[in-house]
Amino acid sequence: MKLYNTASKKLETFKPISDGIVKVYTCGPTVYSSPHIGNFASYIYWDLLVRTLIANGYKVNRVMNMTDVGHLVSDGDDGEDKLEKGARKENKTVWEVADYYINEFMDSFHALNLLEPEKICRATDYVEEVKAAVDAMTANGFTYETSDGIYFDVAKFPDYAKFAGLDLDKLKAGARVEFSDEKHGAADFAVWKFIKPGEKHAMRWDYLGRPGYPGWHIECSTIIDAELGEPIDIHTGGIDHIPVHHTNEIAQTYAISGKPLANYWLHCNFINIDGERIAKSTGNIYTLADLAERGFAPLDYKLWVLQGHYQGDRNFTFGGLDAAKNRRLNWRNRIALELQKPQKTNREFFKKVLEALDNNLNSAEAFAIIDNTAEISLDDWRDIDSLFGLGLIDSVQDISKEDKALISEREKARAAKDWAKSDDIRHELEIKGITIKDTPDGSIWQYLK
Ligand code: AMP
Ligand code: ZN
């Protein structure tokens, strides 16, 4: 299996640390509002990664976090906590907001038929571990204290700029206006924030004799250490995480344990609309509920996402989504056709599909192979379904005995040239969403839509 590794900027042959088992970590959502379809694209790509690993015979142990504290509105160290802001806006407690959006996220996760990670961890369940991690970084000389919190001193980690190819001097020049006097360097970041007297912050923990809460990046280093042990095999996220969030995770883990965090780093590109990234700040967002209102199922969207490459520049349009919906219907009808025929399994075909995915998750090529193969057996469709999680097989059920009887009745009517009766039966079946195709081998049924 070959994967593009952001750390080496090369396509590399994948080799797990331990034979047969792969440790994967996925940076999860910040649970303060409904995710948009761009967010879900990233989880769809990582679902494909996990399913491809499984198809290659690996056992996957994946952990994903839920950020329910510490992610500030600015994505930096200033501004309000996104959860606190969400709670104020909705007139709920932060805990209610987190619970609500975690449930909503998981409902969508299941509707998209995404494999659940082996463990899902809420940041607030790891605060004691975070404190121990900050203690370790401090003992190892990587932090300093300001009036505002405990900061990571990036100058202490010589490789800080390496992962993202950062130019720290430029960063400093760019940040001069906003970066506070107390910070030693522009890229330094909070691993723990203090709550000042009078400051509103419902989520608070005592540490170093005063109330505070964890910084955003520290939860991932901490959860990986607690649940998987570094280094892990594969770490995933969006490309926006490369220069700050993942760079900081690597620095923290080095400061805590002296170890690298992950051997392979996979990053997906953004989904755009009219060339602009789908983002709350841009306002060009659609949710899965918006798509449902226009008649598209979550799995239509999943298929649309999988038609492109995770590193590709993707432009979302409803026309494109409609084409994906038609492709899904076409595949369902191909499965329906196989249900009505004798079966021949073709392992060579499935090998080719898997080979496409083993080449850096090239699902677009795998889909072209499926479209260009005239006959695919039910067994092979079952394997395709496990590989992409498109729920195809489950969505195709053999029709009822009554409907089958109607089809043979119609064939008899046709043989007797009773066209009126034949048309009536066709109509009766169409009301049930079934259409009949007359082929040289007899009549077959297909889904109407
Ligand atoms: P967040 O909840 O903001 O931390 O985002 C969750 C995930 O969605 C992150 O991995 C982001 O990189 C990813 N993401 C955000 N916007 C987009 C987009 N327009 N297209 C694809 N992925 C995105
Ligand atoms: Zn993370």
Side-chain angles (χ1 to χ4, degrees):
M1 216 178 142
K2 286 203 162 72
L3 296 171
Y4 181 85
N5 190 350
T6 304
S8 66
K9 298 189 183 60
K10 285 196 189 93
L11 203 59
E12 292 181 29
T13 301
F14 175 70
K15 262 179 70 182
I17 297 162
S18 306
D19 266 353
I21 178 141
V22 185
K23 296 193 282 183
V24 182
Y25 184 82
T26 295
C27 288
T30 306
V31 286
Y32 71 107
S33 67
S34 300
H36 55 69
I37 56 172
N39 297 132
F40 280 117
S42 67
Y43 303 107
I44 292 171
Y45 292 130
W46 311 136
D47 186 62
L48 180 66
L49 168 71
V50 168
R51 288 172 182 273
T52 303
L53 288 164
I54 293 170
N56 276 281
Y58 293 113
K59 185 177 177 314
V60 175
N61 186 14
R62 181 161 67 134
V63 172
M64 179 169 76
N65 67 312
M66 296 274 175
T67 300
D68 57 358
V69 67
H71 194 166
L72 305 189
V73 175
S74 69
D75 271 359
D77 299 313
D78 308 311
E80 202 174 358
D81 186 309
K82 291 188 181 188
L83 266 291
E84 301 278 341
K85 188 176 173 185
R88 199 160 38 78
K89 213 167 95 188
E90 297 188 21
N91 211 8
K92 287 183 183 161
T93 70
V94 272
W95 305 100
E96 284 166 347
V97 170
D99 283 347
Y100 178 86
Y101 288 109
I102 286 174
N103 283 335
E104 191 196 66
F105 179 84
M106 289 317 296
D107 285 347
S108 301
F109 212 80
H110 296 139
L112 286 163
N113 206 8
L114 303 175
L115 294 177
E116 250 193 54
E118 278 52 42
K119 191 149 190 185
I120 296 175
C121 306
R122 283 174 77 144
T124 48
D125 287 333
Y126 289 81
V127 175
E128 288 311 311
E129 288 85 345
V130 164
K131 291 181 195 172
V134 177
D135 282 345
M137 290 190 285
T138 300
N140 294 335
F142 284 87
T143 67
Y144 58 88
E145 189 173 325
T146 73
S147 57
D148 179 49
I150 308 290
Y151 277 76
F152 190 99
D153 189 348
V154 308
K156 297 276 166 61
F157 178 43
D159 281 344
Y160 184 80
K162 196 169 144 195
F163 181 68
L166 298 175
D167 182 339
L168 290 180
D169 291 334
K170 237 190 192 159
L171 208 67
K172 198 168 160 186
R176 185 147 294 155
V177 194
E178 38 186 321
F179 104 77
S180 84
D181 299 342
E182 288 187 89
K183 258 166 87 166
H184 297 181
D188 292 358
F189 57 92
V191 290
W192 187 267
K193 293 272 288 183
F194 296 135
I195 295 169
K196 296 186 185 88
E199 192 186 342
K200 282 213 172 73
H201 202 285
M203 288 183 169
R204 50 176 67 215
W205 292 266
D206 273 332
Y207 180 47
L208 304 171
R210 43 203 291 203
Y213 59 95
W216 173 33
H217 318 290
I218 189 65
E219 68 187 68
C220 292
S221 291
T222 303
I223 290 169
I224 289 172
D225 181 63
E227 299 300 339
L228 294 167
E230 63 275 16
I232 57 168
D233 292 291
I234 306 175
H235 196 310
T236 70
I239 51 170
D240 51 327
H241 286 161
I242 300 171
V244 181
H245 183 56
H246 288 169
T247 288
N248 292 351
E249 283 186 27
I250 291 168
Q252 292 166 153
T253 295
Y254 178 80
I256 296 162
S257 69
K259 289 186 198 166
L261 184 53
N263 287 348
Y264 300 84
W265 289 84
L266 267 61
H267 291 99
C268 65
N269 205 339
F270 296 131
I271 308 293
N272 299 314
I273 290 180
D274 297 329
E276 239 187 309
R277 169 186 173 184
I278 302 180
K280 270 189 208 108
S281 50
T282 318
N284 60 349
I285 57 169
Y286 291 106
T287 61
L288 289 176
D290 294 329
L291 302 194
E293 256 174 43
R294 295 179 189 225
F296 296 102
L299 293 174
D300 295 328
Y301 178 66
K302 185 178 193 181
L303 194 143
W304 179 83
V305 171
L306 294 175
Q307 286 183 160
H309 193 250
Y310 74 96
Q311 294 180 291
D313 234 336
R314 307 290 309 282
N315 201 54
F316 175 84
T317 62
F318 279 99
L321 184 59
D322 203 41
K325 180 180 177 173
N326 283 333
R327 194 178 207 171
R328 190 161 154 260
L329 174 64
N330 174 265
W331 287 3
R332 291 176 63 214
N333 271 331
R334 290 181 63 180
I335 293 171
L337 175 62
E338 290 305 317
L339 269 179
Q340 302 167 68
K341 275 180 19 189
Q343 292 297 302
K344 257 195 331 274
T345 302
N346 174 4
R347 295 287 84 186
E348 284 311 303
F349 155 78
F350 188 69
K351 238 172 79 186
K352 274 200 291 180
V353 172
L354 189 54
E355 266 167 26
L357 293 182
D358 286 348
N359 181 20
N360 198 23
L361 309 179
N362 195 340
S363 44
E365 191 185 321
F367 283 12
I369 294 168
I370 295 169
D371 280 343
N372 295 329
T373 304
E375 271 183 77
I376 299 175
S377 71
L378 280 179
D379 279 345
D380 289 322
W381 277 114
R382 249 176 227 117
D383 287 342
I384 289 171
D385 227 10
S386 308
L387 201 47
F388 298 109
L390 287 168
L392 295 166
I393 296 282
D394 284 349
S395 73
V396 180
Q397 265 134 29
D398 203 1
I399 53 171
S400 66
K401 270 198 199 118
E402 292 72 31
D403 290 342
K404 279 183 185 166
L406 279 174
I407 293 174
S408 21
E409 213 181 307
R410 180 175 166 275
E411 279 184 317
K412 276 182 208 141
R414 275 167 57 84
K417 297 199 168 19
D418 184 349
W419 308 122
K421 183 168 183 191
S422 151
D423 276 355
D424 281 352
I425 296 176
R426 168 185 289 280
H427 190 65
E428 196 178 336
L429 286 164
E430 278 183 356
I431 290 167
K432 299 180 180 185
I434 295 165
T435 180
I436 304 298
K437 285 210 162 95
D438 298 307
T439 76
D441 302 328
S443 302
I444 57 156
W445 63 267
Q446 297 272 271
Y447 290 109
L448 200 53
K449 60 175 184 317

